[in-house]
Amino acid sequence: MTILVMGKGGVGKSSTVNSLIGEQVMRISSFQSEGLRPTMVSRSWSGFTLNIIDTPGLVEGGYINHQAIGLIKGFLLNKTIDVLLYVDRLDAYRVDGLDKQIIGAITDVFGKKIWCKSLLVLTHAQLCPPDGLSYDDFSSKRSNAVLNAISIGARIGKNDFEHYAIPVVLVENSGRCNKNGKDEKILPNGDVWILNLVKAITSVATNRSQPILVDKKLIDGPDSNDRGKMWIPLILGAQWLVVKWIQGSIKNDIERGNDPFGSHKNKLTASIKNGVSNGNEPSSKIKRISRK
Ligand SMILES: Nc1nc2c(ncn2[C@@H]2O[C@H](COP(=O)(O)OP(=O)(O)OP(=O)(O)O)[C@@H](O)[C@H]2O)c(=O)[nH]1
Ligand SMILES: [Mg+2]
């Protein structure tokens, strides 16, 4: 099974991979990370292999990182994605245009169907909600805001979006996360989040939608070729009309006894003659300048 992890820079993608694997396999940085390349970690247990692909932040410094997207595409070629973890933070209060752009960029690479194989992971989930909201109210408001951004960014209509049924999992990667009596990390509402995450991954991986095979056709965008082909008959038709129109007007001119090329030639000769008689010929200008 292959899990792809994507999201903005610094939201906790690599930390979530480490939490899932239970080891510090990925480098964590509190500051902007420099690597642009995706990293894959694999673990096998009795014939079952889990691959997790961590990617660099798709938005850095307020812009979509197209170079990173290009490298991710190349890395994923001929791989099959069973689950996409789209990661953001729970403790953020706004979604903005960039969130929608990054979701649009993911949709452009894999197609809308990637969202059938996705789950939304919201990190930094050990928080005290503002404005006297309960923890569950706050987290559902934030989850709905990000899900709404996914629906808009992926250009999926509200009614259709319900069929995508993207699960939301709250995650707290910090070592300071509270624990229950069994030494399991828990959220403020008492949920053992790692269990929720594993369950959600399993349900998405085994849902009815097909995993996403990242082949050359998907990466090159088959639609763009097809769209191009659509215009060919129209362009050929327009060319044929223009040629017919030119042939028609030449024929008319000849029938009227006019030489279409001769008339241009005559006008040109006349204007040259006029220019000379006005004293505007090039040589006279040169003479006047050199005398100054
Ligand atoms: N409190 C808290 N801190 C977190 C959590 N997840 C990540 N962090 C911290 O946030 C910072 C960034 O975490 P990373 O896991 O490196 O984030 P990233 O998305 O992989 O970042 P890039 O690879 O740079 O895009 C680090 O200082 C982490 O320790 C979380 O759930 N809770
Ligand atoms: Mg990272």
Side-chain angles (χ1 to χ4, degrees):
M1 178 162 83
T2 300
I3 300 173
L4 175 65
V5 184
M6 293 182 106
K8 283 185 289 196
V11 290
K13 298 180 297 296
S14 306
S15 304
T16 304
V17 175
N18 289 347
S19 296
L20 265 172
I21 296 281
E23 297 167 41
Q24 295 297 307
V25 276
M26 297 295 171
R27 267 186 64 190
I28 307 297
S29 165
S30 303
F31 304 97
Q32 190 170 329
S33 53
E34 277 141 36
L36 279 177
R37 287 178 190 289
T39 317
M40 185 162 86
V41 55
S42 302
R43 291 288 181 274
S44 295
W45 302 271
S46 49
F48 172 80
T49 302
L50 174 69
N51 303 309
I52 307 184
I53 301 169
D54 188 18
T55 62
L58 291 185
V59 172
E60 289 288 3
Y63 294 98
I64 296 267
N65 193 337
H66 288 285
Q67 195 188 351
I69 291 176
L71 288 169
I72 293 169
K73 279 184 183 179
F75 187 89
L76 292 176
L77 186 61
N78 298 328
K79 292 189 172 61
T80 299
I81 311 301
D82 295 287
V83 179
L84 167 72
L85 301 192
Y86 181 72
V87 184
D88 204 333
R89 291 175 65 141
L90 180 67
D91 64 342
Y93 306 121
R94 297 270 187 273
V95 286
D96 58 27
L98 262 180
D99 290 306
K100 289 164 198 159
Q101 276 185 46
I102 178 180
I103 290 156
I106 293 174
T107 314
D108 288 345
V109 175
F110 303 108
K112 285 182 190 177
K113 54 189 187 300
I114 189 71
W115 299 106
C116 297
K117 300 305 274 178
S118 304
L119 67 100
L120 172 60
V121 172
L122 296 174
T123 62
H124 295 71
Q126 184 164 281
L127 56 77
C128 190
D131 306 332
L133 281 172
S134 75
Y135 184 79
D136 289 338
D137 280 349
F138 175 80
S139 42
S140 83
K141 271 195 161 81
R142 172 71 182 145
S143 307
N144 287 336
V146 182
L147 287 173
N148 191 39
I150 295 178
S151 143
I152 296 171
R155 299 174 295 276
I156 302 168
K158 269 222 166 102
N159 293 340
D160 285 346
F161 193 65
E162 280 169 17
H163 303 302
Y164 285 72
I166 300 175
V168 183
V169 182
L170 308 183
V171 162
E172 176 51 67
N173 291 307
S174 163
R176 289 191 296 274
C177 182
N178 290 334
K179 289 184 179 171
N180 63 13
K182 292 189 205 155
D183 207 29
E184 293 163 327
K185 287 180 166 183
I186 51 164
L187 298 175
N189 63 4
D191 279 3
V192 180
W193 64 261
I194 192 84
L195 213 65
N196 289 348
L197 183 57
V198 171
K199 273 186 194 163
I201 289 174
T202 314
S203 79
V204 171
T206 54
N207 71 13
R208 268 182 294 153
S209 305
Q210 286 297 306
I212 311 294
L213 169 65
V214 186
D215 55 11
K216 198 128 181 19
K217 204 171 137 199
L218 187 80
I219 284 185
D220 292 346
D223 289 354
S224 60
N225 276 343
D226 289 348
R227 245 181 276 137
K229 276 181 205 154
M230 226 173 63
W231 291 104
I232 291 175
L234 218 65
I235 294 167
L236 287 178
Q239 275 182 348
W240 182 81
L241 281 174
V242 170
V243 168
K244 279 279 160 208
W245 177 75
I246 293 173
Q247 282 176 344
S249 55
I250 291 174
K251 210 171 140 201
N252 282 347
D253 268 356
I254 291 170
E255 274 168 11
R256 271 191 251 120
N258 293 341
D259 175 0
F261 303 107
S263 65
H264 288 299
K265 211 164 56 191
N266 294 343
K267 276 182 201 153
L268 194 66
T269 320
S271 71
I272 291 171
K273 274 184 192 158
N274 285 340
V276 170
S277 64
N278 294 338
N280 286 338
E281 79 279 18
S283 57
S284 67
K285 266 189 187 164
I286 292 165
K287 269 179 222 152
R288 254 180 268 139
I289 291 162
S290 61
R291 255 188 253 124
K292 279 185 186 171

